[in-house]
Amino acid sequence: GKNVFSLLNLMGKSASRLLLIRELLKQGTPEGKISSAVGAPPWLVKKEMQLLRKTNFLQLRSFHKRLITADAQLKGKSLGTQAIFSQLVRG
């Protein structure tokens, strides 16, 4: 019952934040400062850092790209709402 646009937006923000956290860690930013740098509560950053340990950069970047593509296809009406999430899973 959720709006597809809202779900894609939420997933896109999460993927972007994960990419930013990964880059900040790569630059040597202390974990304590990452939370304020990304504008997220410390508990969320901690959970996302755990997630980053389980995935690699290429997987994350690919997922982010698929989200952007799915969003464009939905807005351009080239895919219906039913097909959007299938498209994301298939890659």
Side-chain angles (χ1 to χ4, degrees):
K2 293 284 184 186
N3 181 316
V4 177
F5 290 106
S6 296
L7 290 172
L8 283 175
N9 185 34
L10 180 63
M11 288 189 292
K13 285 181 181 180
S14 294
S16 293
R17 191 172 45 248
L18 285 166
L19 287 166
L20 178 56
I21 291 170
R22 181 176 290 281
E23 184 60 29
L24 290 170
L25 287 170
K26 184 178 164 187
Q27 292 175 6
T29 305
E31 289 184 20
K33 292 188 178 187
I34 290 176
S35 178
S36 61
V38 299
W43 65 267
L44 180 59
V45 172
K46 187 174 199 126
K47 286 194 172 283
E48 288 181 333
M49 287 173 60
Q50 291 172 351
L51 179 61
L52 285 171
R53 290 185 190 102
K54 297 177 184 177
T55 187
N56 67 45
F57 173 74
L58 293 177
Q59 291 171 319
L60 184 56
R61 190 178 68 177
S62 173
F63 179 66
H64 188 249
K65 184 177 178 179
R66 289 194 316 266
L67 281 169
I68 292 168
T69 302
D71 184 62
Q73 289 173 328
L74 182 63
K75 288 176 182 170
K77 302 198 187 299
S78 62
L79 279 183
T81 57
Q82 300 295 325
I84 291 296
F85 294 103
S86 296
Q87 179 77 8
L88 284 174
V89 172
R90 281 194 307 254

